[in-house]
Amino acid sequence: MARYSYHASHEQFTPSQLVTLSRMAERYRFDGVFCSDHLQPWAPAQGQSGHAWVWLGAALQATNHISFGTVTVPGGWRYHPVTLAQSVATLCDLFPGRLPWIALGSGEALNEVPMGGEWPSKETRDQRLIEGSAMVRRLLQGDTVISEGPISARRARIWVRPPQVPTLFGAAMTEATARQAGAWADGLLTLGRDLDKLRRIIDAFREGGGSGKPVHVKLDTCQGPSIEAARQEAHGQWRFACLPPHLHHELGFPMAFEAASASVQPQDMDGHVLLWSDPRALVEHTWSCLRLGVEWVSFHHVGSNQALFIQTLGSDVVPALRLRERRPNAL
């Protein structure tokens, strides 16, 4: 059976609001909560950016059984792999089984450049991702790590061991990155709006060594009383999704994203955010993702009415998907 998560967007809501929404997602029987890990929002209008690891501890304490996950960077400036592994192990000890996975990516200038230093090339970032991910894995397994490479470590060890090492997903927005992740990651995290692109990325991941490994997609959606209303709200909050992938990684400040997306029109949102007013449209698109081999879907409502979104998914969308999995001809 597939699993379904609510996406807690730290760029758009305060940490306290997201704790409340996570508790609501648990009441509506979501399987998990997936949160972003940002230092800054995409644009000043979004206006938030809580610390993901502090928040995860609070959210896990405030809920009873729902699982959590996040996407983070093991080779950047904010987190050394040792610090990251210690954070993961601590949460796993406090809340056994409830942090079953984290995703690891090569980073975005938006979250790393403010810490100082030059923003490296994509090739260098990929090398740091592979090295940092290997260090995190070894530390969580109990190894002592010595490294003289770009990410140095001197007899590094974490003394709190997780009861079970979380699955380490590789985050990828392109086929090339997905193919590379197939060799080192336990699974793939990617985006689920464009089904043709999703198919190509999954194929690349399998070809790179990811055969048999799980696939997790984040699906950006916007619910509205009409498709046009959803389109306008998505444009106001998430037009940055229309920028090329390389800009997502290279623009260093929210004002830069605002300027770069100034020419994006509301109709441009259709290819990047799933717009819907009828829950059946979301059911059908998600089912198409599952047929491509996706095992975990994280639903992100880019609009403001998160409570209605959780209620609609918990009452209409997720139950319909679970019914279809049990009885494929039921819908």
Side-chain angles (χ1 to χ4, degrees):
M1 299 291 286
R3 288 171 286 183
Y4 306 101
S5 291
Y6 165 69
H7 182 73
S9 179
H10 280 289
E11 305 96 314
Q12 297 174 279
F13 303 97
T14 67
S16 57
Q17 287 174 316
L18 292 176
V19 167
T20 299
L21 292 168
S22 297
R23 294 177 68 182
M24 184 177 182
E26 182 173 61
R27 290 198 300 272
Y28 275 92
R29 298 185 180 181
F30 282 72
D31 297 301
V33 175
F34 170 31
C35 78
S36 49
D37 182 4
H38 272 229
L39 179 67
Q40 303 186 91
W42 296 110
Q46 292 180 325
Q48 301 296 331
S49 199
H51 193 290
W53 293 95
V54 174
W55 180 82
L56 281 166
L60 282 158
Q61 181 65 35
T63 51
N64 296 313
H65 58 79
I66 197 168
S67 70
F68 284 77
T70 190
V71 55
T72 190
V73 180
W77 282 258
R78 282 197 299 161
Y79 308 127
H80 189 283
V82 176
T83 303
L84 188 58
Q86 185 185 35
S87 300
V88 172
T90 300
L91 288 178
C92 289
D93 177 77
L94 288 168
F95 307 99
R98 295 184 60 199
L99 189 72
W101 67 273
I102 61 169
L104 303 172
S106 61
E108 296 155 337
L110 181 71
N111 302 310
E112 307 294 338
V113 164
M115 309 303 291
E118 295 296 324
W119 186 235
S121 67
K122 180 66 164 63
E123 181 181 9
T124 299
R125 299 199 308 271
D126 285 345
Q127 291 173 349
R128 292 177 66 92
L129 167 61
I130 294 170
E131 181 180 354
S133 299
M135 290 176 67
V136 169
R137 188 187 305 277
R138 289 185 60 198
L139 289 161
L140 290 174
Q141 292 172 342
D143 292 348
T144 298
V145 175
I146 300 172
S147 174
E148 301 297 335
I151 307 175
S152 62
R154 298 183 179 181
R155 297 190 59 82
R157 176 184 175 185
I158 58 171
W159 294 79
V160 175
R161 290 285 307 284
Q164 182 175 356
V165 176
T167 301
L168 302 184
F169 283 74
M173 294 179 65
T174 66
E175 292 171 53
T177 303
R179 184 172 288 105
Q180 186 180 70
W184 66 263
D186 301 325
L188 172 70
L189 170 67
T190 189
L191 300 177
R193 173 63 184 100
D194 185 330
L195 293 173
D196 288 336
K197 184 176 181 180
L198 174 61
R199 181 183 295 106
R200 295 194 302 272
I201 287 177
I202 292 175
D203 287 346
F205 177 69
R206 303 295 189 214
E207 292 165 3
S211 180
K213 298 178 181 179
V215 176
H216 184 154
V217 301
K218 175 178 178 280
L219 179 56
D220 294 326
T221 81
C222 195
Q223 175 187 14
S226 67
I227 296 298
E228 183 56 31
R231 182 177 291 116
Q232 292 295 331
E233 185 162 31
H235 180 260
Q237 280 290 310
W238 215 252
R239 61 184 178 274
F240 325 103
C242 298
L243 297 176
H246 73 275
L247 287 183
H248 273 266
H249 295 89
E250 295 171 6
L251 296 179
F253 299 95
M255 294 72 73
F257 277 91
E258 191 168 54
S261 62
S263 63
V264 174
Q265 299 299 308
Q267 60 268 24
D268 297 329
M269 301 307 302
D270 294 51
H272 300 274
V273 176
L274 183 67
L275 311 171
W276 58 280
S277 58
D278 186 339
R280 289 176 294 183
L282 183 55
V283 171
E284 291 303 324
H285 186 91
T286 305
W287 184 249
S288 295
C289 291
L290 299 185
R291 293 184 66 185
L292 293 176
V294 172
E295 298 181 23
W296 198 317
V297 182
S298 176
F299 297 103
H300 175 203
H301 176 39
V302 305
S304 58
N305 195 339
Q306 299 290 302
L308 176 62
F309 178 74
I310 292 172
Q311 181 180 9
T312 304
L313 264 69
S315 299
D316 300 326
V317 175
V318 172
L321 288 165
R322 287 173 173 155
L323 175 61
R324 181 172 288 193
E325 286 188 87
R326 291 192 299 269
R327 298 165 53 198
N329 298 319
L331 297 180

